Amino acid sequence: MKQRHHPNNSRVYPPGQSPASDDPSHVVCDHRSVMKEITKEQSLVTQLRAIVLPALQADERSELVAQMFQNILDCSSKAMAELQLLHQSDDARNDDTQVDDKKRLRMISDDSNKEDVKPHHKHKREGMHPLSLETPVPHYDGRQWRKYGQKKHQQRKNPRSYYRCTYRQEQDCKATKTVQQKDQSIGSDHPVMYTVVYHGQHTCKGNNCSDSGTDDSETKTTMQSSSDSQQSSISGYCSDPFDHQRSLDGNKLVGKSEDVIAENNIYQACDMTAFASLEFDSWELDVLLRFGA
DNA sequence: GTGATTTGACCACC
DNA sequence: GGTGGTCAAATCAC
């Protein structure tokens, strides 16, 4: 596994502070804790934005509110990026003691590392830098996806779904993503957490596939998805990637209990990616800043 | 009828 | 043989 090393790899302890008192595990835990809180904040802000913006009339005030939401999310994303850099720095400094942490990072960013050291698999996306994210709302990220496959893996309780850009044929967009429900999500704060891995960058343009993080139309489309009687032509908006959760599909909400509908509306209306970034580079950060807001 | 999703099969790699 | 990713026919929803 190729490690990312921070330039400041040697550690100097200030007077009166021993390595024991500066337990690296505490540093890691602090990073995780803070990143977790930021992730929560991002999720809540995106959810709040999805609720508030559609309720506002399209005027200067709504634009201002949208811009404020954007700024908040930008700040948190930047803070996350800074923490990530610090976290990587600590990992590099503590090769022997942070085995578990490395395992975790390896699991998240496995694909990207494979590309660095192994020949390209035919089916693996050549020249593409995957981005792994955790989010309770994996479907909506400002792009339109079409599901083309699903696989149940022996080691995992939940199947993995494969999506490609809706405009793959029209515009030869090579972007794909995989969505997998996390096993440990049951009982957590969020009902479900998903690991979303993006491969390749979008080359498509137009047709709602452009960068428009604050585009109100996206929010409207998302809000409509839960009540729209039409079948969604955009996998990312309505359908759930997992068969056992097809009841969550917006089209199938009709006839369900109000509680379920309300809950699903929340998560579908707020189907914006609240990214918990764990490993990303500059363009990936750019993606986070644009899509996460 | 059209378009999206599902699902088993297939391929390449390890 | 297991795994990850993709393909394509069947199926579904409108």
Side-chain angles (χ1 to χ4, degrees), chain A residues 31 34-35 38 78-88:
Chain A
H31 285 155
V34 174
M35 291 169 73
I38 293 176
K78 288 174 183 174
M80 184 78 81
E82 293 293 331
L83 280 171
Q84 178 66 24
L85 287 174
L86 290 171
H87 194 174
Q88 290 172 9

Side-chain angles (χ1 to χ4, degrees), chain A residues 86-104:
Chain A
L86 290 171
H87 194 174
Q88 290 172 9
S89 166
D90 286 325
D91 280 345
R93 279 195 295 260
N94 301 286
D95 282 347
D96 296 335
T97 58
Q98 298 302 312
V99 175
D100 290 342
D101 239 24
K102 288 189 174 184
K103 283 181 179 178
R104 182 182 61 85

